[in-house]
Amino acid sequence: MISLDLEKIDNSWKRELAKAFKNPSELLEYLELDPQVKSEIAGKPLLKSSFPMLVPQFFADLMKPRDINDPLLLQVLPFSEELTERQDFVLQPLDEQDNFIPVANIVHKYQDRLLFLPKGGCAVNCRYCFRRNFPYEQLGASKQEWVEALNYAYQQHISELILSGGDPLMMTDKEFVWLFNQVLERNQTCTTKIDRIRIHSRLPIVLPQRITAQFIEMCQALASYGIKLIWVSHINHPQEISTLLQEKVQNLTKVGVLVLNQSVLLKGINDSVEVLEELSRKLFQAGILPYYLHLLDKVKGSTHFYLDDVQALELYAQLQTKTSGYLIPKLAREEVGKKHKTLYTA
Ligand SMILES: *Cc1c(COP(=O)(O)O)cnc(C)c1O
Ligand code: SF4
């Protein structure tokens, strides 16, 4: 079993998160932008949203000051364009809520793997998030509910458990130890053996401190039991790859964690072949392999980030002429009712 040294628990990331920017004006002031003037110049008045702004200072420090068009800022700042309605942009684009939740905290829509959503909430609120309207309040937060979710997982003969959310790295190290030990125990007694645990998380991009020394030790211990850990980071722009993040990725790779990246193709953020190429190169330098380039899920409030299939395919075709095959992520889209992503080829 894996153990945790309670005396060495490092919760500094939680304190950082508690201090995150929640007020757009304060963030703009921090970036030396005058909210009134700049929003008028950009023609994009700020919006009060039911999906509030949330930006840790670490992420704000990766933004260029005095630039209202900074690609990191545009991902997190609520603009009135979110009010633009389009019939095909809906509250729940993937229909997860009604059709794929067999028990609380589980989304079962893929073959041979399922998603375990331990809790709602993220360290950053991305304006294009496809789960921005997900009913997180319905997630069970007690250990009993997590036990039931795991019971379901082990009845399903899966081999991979995917931790999703919200952001699964919102779980504390103590909760991770509990979860990992649950898997180790059940693997001994059940016919189902989970041999891969995958974490889909953007949290270390905005708060690399989350990858604590104890978390790395836990990953190492898990590997010693033959369970492979995979972290799919969600990096959309090369500017998001900080020095501290690179250090953390190195530490994780050293203990056998495979780090992959999935980006969302976003108009005005990364919809140029130069940015995509630089992103792939910087990811690789940091020890991260480009995995998916995801077409935007049509969630209400995100029309201004949307590129249609023709534009996306054109860009993808250009990217393929620019760099090595292993630096080209798979272009993919999620389609309701399909048990896998739909891949596009140019
Ligand atoms: C696509 C996706 C998955 C499943 O990924 P595969 O690699 O296709 O199995 C899991 N979680 C999220 C958030 C995804 O976008
Ligand atoms: S981190 Fe991921 S789940 Fe959280 S708001 Fe951003 S896109 Fe959504």
Side-chain angles (χ1 to χ4, degrees), residues 10-145:
D10 172 6
N11 276 332
S12 57
W13 64 277
K14 284 192 134 184
R15 289 190 291 277
E16 277 303 306
L17 184 53
K19 290 189 292 187
F21 289 101
K22 297 179 188 73
N23 181 332
S25 306
E26 277 172 26
L27 175 63
L28 293 180
E29 202 169 304
Y30 185 73
L31 295 171
E32 298 170 35
L33 284 155
D34 174 341
Q36 206 62 43
V37 174
K38 292 297 170 185
S39 64
E40 279 167 23
I41 290 173
K44 297 167 174 173
L46 295 176
L47 176 85
K48 271 198 165 45
S49 171
S50 57
F51 179 59
M53 194 194 80
L54 181 66
V55 184
Q57 189 183 324
F58 184 90
F59 197 57
D61 287 337
L62 299 177
M63 299 171 186
K64 290 187 293 296
R66 297 176 295 282
D67 183 0
I68 189 76
N69 291 314
D70 179 87
L72 275 48
L73 179 62
L74 292 183
Q75 291 180 61
V76 296
L77 194 64
F79 286 115
S80 61
E81 283 151 317
E82 292 186 20
L83 298 173
T84 306
E85 295 274 350
R86 247 183 74 164
Q87 213 175 15
D88 50 342
F89 281 66
V90 297
L91 286 172
Q92 295 279 347
L94 302 185
D95 206 18
E96 290 175 325
Q97 178 179 5
D98 296 329
N99 287 314
F100 302 101
I101 305 189
V103 291
N105 305 65
I106 293 283
V107 175
H108 197 176
K109 60 178 180 181
Y110 302 118
Q111 200 74 46
D112 103 318
R113 57 205 185 286
L114 49 74
L115 308 187
F116 174 45
L117 283 54
K119 40 173 89 171
C122 290
V124 62
N125 283 345
C126 314
R127 307 317 300 172
Y128 47 80
C129 179
F130 76 96
R131 290 210 182 111
R132 59 184 281 173
N133 306 304
F134 192 88
Y136 285 126
E137 62 285 356
Q138 289 171 21
L139 288 186
S142 73
K143 284 277 160 64
Q144 187 50 39
E145 282 160 302

Side-chain angles (χ1 to χ4, degrees), residues 63-281:
M63 299 171 186
K64 290 187 293 296
R66 297 176 295 282
D67 183 0
I68 189 76
N69 291 314
D70 179 87
L72 275 48
L73 179 62
L74 292 183
Q75 291 180 61
V76 296
L77 194 64
F79 286 115
S80 61
E81 283 151 317
E82 292 186 20
L83 298 173
T84 306
E85 295 274 350
R86 247 183 74 164
Q87 213 175 15
D88 50 342
F89 281 66
V90 297
L91 286 172
Q92 295 279 347
L94 302 185
D95 206 18
E96 290 175 325
Q97 178 179 5
D98 296 329
N99 287 314
F100 302 101
I101 305 189
V103 291
N105 305 65
I106 293 283
V107 175
H108 197 176
K109 60 178 180 181
Y110 302 118
Q111 200 74 46
D112 103 318
R113 57 205 185 286
L114 49 74
L115 308 187
F116 174 45
L117 283 54
K119 40 173 89 171
C122 290
V124 62
N125 283 345
C126 314
R127 307 317 300 172
Y128 47 80
C129 179
F130 76 96
R131 290 210 182 111
R132 59 184 281 173
N133 306 304
F134 192 88
Y136 285 126
E137 62 285 356
Q138 289 171 21
L139 288 186
S142 73
K143 284 277 160 64
Q144 187 50 39
E145 282 160 302
W146 288 6
V147 164
E148 279 163 26
L150 290 171
N151 288 346
Y152 175 85
Y154 272 88
Q155 286 156 11
Q156 297 303 310
H157 308 294
I158 53 157
S159 54
E160 180 177 26
L161 188 66
I162 303 177
L163 308 183
S164 191
D167 197 306
L169 280 168
M170 291 290 278
M171 286 168 74
T172 60
D173 285 349
K174 219 170 144 186
E175 288 169 328
F176 267 102
V177 165
W178 178 87
L179 176 68
F180 289 171
N181 281 330
Q182 282 279 321
V183 169
L184 292 177
E185 269 173 36
R186 286 159 190 264
N187 272 0
Q188 282 179 351
T189 52
C190 297
T191 47
T192 294
K193 312 279 182 217
I194 289 177
D195 58 14
R196 280 160 292 147
I197 298 181
R198 184 182 347 167
I199 300 176
H200 271 263
S201 171
R202 182 156 162 78
L203 201 146
I205 317 308
V206 301
L207 274 180
Q209 304 92 309
R210 170 66 193 90
I211 309 296
T212 61
Q214 289 223 73
F215 183 76
I216 291 164
E217 282 170 24
M218 255 186 267
C219 294
Q220 185 164 26
L222 198 64
S224 73
Y225 288 99
I227 296 182
K228 186 84 191 163
L229 253 179
I230 302 146
W231 170 34
V232 182
S233 62
H234 289 219
I235 299 170
N236 296 320
H237 192 280
Q239 209 175 305
E240 294 173 27
I241 305 172
S242 62
T243 312
L244 188 56
L245 175 69
Q246 294 183 52
E247 275 171 33
K248 299 293 183 180
V249 171
Q250 267 180 14
N251 296 339
L252 287 170
T253 348
K254 263 186 213 144
V255 298
V257 178
L258 175 66
V259 188
L260 304 172
N261 185 63
Q262 153 166 344
S263 312
V264 187
L265 185 57
L266 297 166
K267 190 172 170 179
I269 313 288
N270 59 10
D271 60 334
S272 83
V273 76
E274 291 76 25
V275 171
L276 291 175
E277 190 193 354
E278 190 192 347
L279 174 61
S280 277
R281 265 192 291 111

